[in-house]
Amino acid sequence: VLSIVYTVLEMCEDDAVEPDVDARPVAGVRARARAALVAEITETARRHLAEQGAAGLSLRAIARDLGMVSSAIYRYFPSRDDLLTALIIEAYDSIGGAAEQADAAVADRANVLARWRAVCHAVRQWAKANPHEYALVYGSPVPGYVAPQATVPHATRVSFVLAGILRDGLRLGPDAAPQPSTGLLTDELLETALVGVPEEHAVRALMAWMELFGIVTFELFGQLVGAVDDADAFFDRCVSEMAVSVGLVGT
Amino acid sequence: VLSIVYTVLEMCEDDAVEPDVDARPVAGVRARARAALVAEITETARRHLAEQGAAGLSLRAIARDLGMVSSAIYRYFPSRDDLLTALIIEAYDSIGGAAEQADAAVADRANVLARWRAVCHAVRQWAKANPHEYALVYGSPVPGYVAPQATVPHATRVSFVLAGILRDGLRLGPDAAPQPSTGLLTDELLETALVGVPEEHAVRALMAWMELFGIVTFELFGQLVGAVDDADAFFDRCVSEMAVSVGLVGT
DNA sequence: TGTACATCAGTGAACGCGCGTTCACTGATGTAC
DNA sequence: TGTACATCAGTGAACGCGCGTTCACTGATGTAC
């Protein structure tokens, strides 16, 4: 079912990896036109998502916007759900990229507190700039839709950034030995993102991660109205508190 | 617009407050039939919500279930949004009631840790038992719908329970003097739920509140798949950690 | 290099379904004199 | 107590709109000999 999506990803990579695409202009004219249209459809869908949310996403409306007939979309996406999957992956990559960029922008790699703060603020900024994309991936599940396994690596990018900062803060090299299984967390987690992190810190790391998204979600979905005056300052304060509880700075 | 909802609430109260309703059987036969039907509609809507989520909520389907014509619903609810409002209020009251009950069930009122844990677990249990209701109030906003002011008091019930426990833990009487405004939190909050709570504790209380719902949301919406093995034990551990960070128990 | 065939993009019509809301109307229930 | 009138519940048809998906088809683009 997802073959199209994979095809798209492959094509995008092809475009990026193959610089001399003009050297063979004959072959793949159709393929390139196809890739361009897939991109155009996804982009239009992304715009509709941003404007009206996932519920208002309609193949017909997208086709209308592109000046084509609705059935033509089926040449590129086998169904609405596959288009949704493409958008979900895009959203995860977008927020994940924002987090990675914010982390990388801190020159002093040893300043884990600055990196932590940068990433948290980047997540919040991204969410505020893309509320519907955020709701698509971190809000209520779309009814009747189950995210395919292919989305997972994209979904974990933010957590890997945060975990990396924590590991740097704890001075754990990439060769750290995995901690014994705690029963609470999966071996998968303890052997990848949180490898070498003691259980106590691992749990608190997960908590801070959920807290970060809990705060962003509550602010974005309007649950803080009437409770918080200065949302920016409040969030900054929360980020600092979380940095302490996660062990990045001493109390 | 919400007059119907108010009418419903009034009626329900009337039924509860007035025990000798049979003493005046003539007057209000129509009114009682009306109240019964409003209740039936809301109940059917609640069932549909539980089964298919807010997106699948349709006046026509509800009318069909009740064996009446779709336009008849408009005798009781002026629009779909008003029905949604009724459901939102019901959901908030349901989870709020669950929290209050869990708190009240702890006999030893001085054992604030036990009360804290009981309420947190009640919130999670309610969410797991009523995922669509939870998503309705704590998930993505329903597109095109803005919650009227009337929902606010129902929405705050859980937070009042948690705040009450915190205030008991800090041994603050009901006559505590409000703390000076911090600039972060609203005066409204500092003068009601968190009256007398020092700013440091107030911020951490809000954080724990958001964290609680962040955890429940992530678990419910599937974000923890692959990271957590024993969800029950993990949640319990989180609740204990939060109790510490909020100042209910010493480290 | 030219031709025959296969592949593919896009069309247009249709299927079958759903929805919220309005409106004129019938009949029953309550109310005032 | 009985009658005239007003209120209200529920009907049935209609408006106007949307959607995802299928299918037979045309015409253009690529491919193999």
Side-chain angles (χ1 to χ4, degrees), chain B residues 22 44 71 86 106 109 114 144 166 170-171 184 189 199 229 241:
Chain B
D22 287 338
T44 308
S71 52
V106 177
R109 305 306 292 158
L166 175 64
L170 299 179
R171 298 175 208 288
L184 292 185
L189 187 68
E199 198 243 21
D229 251 344
E241 295 268 355

Side-chain angles (χ1 to χ4, degrees), chain B residues 4 34 38 41 68 70-78:
Chain B
I4 288 292
R34 182 182 179 82
V38 168
I41 292 172
M68 64 201 315
S70 68
S71 52
I73 303 283
Y74 287 81
R75 292 274 164 211
Y76 303 93
F77 290 91

Side-chain angles (χ1 to χ4, degrees), chain A residues 30 34 37 60 67-69 71-72 75-76:
Chain A
R30 202 133 73 171
R34 183 183 178 81
L37 241 169
R60 291 187 106 108
M68 64 202 314
V69 105
S71 53
R75 293 274 163 210
Y76 303 95

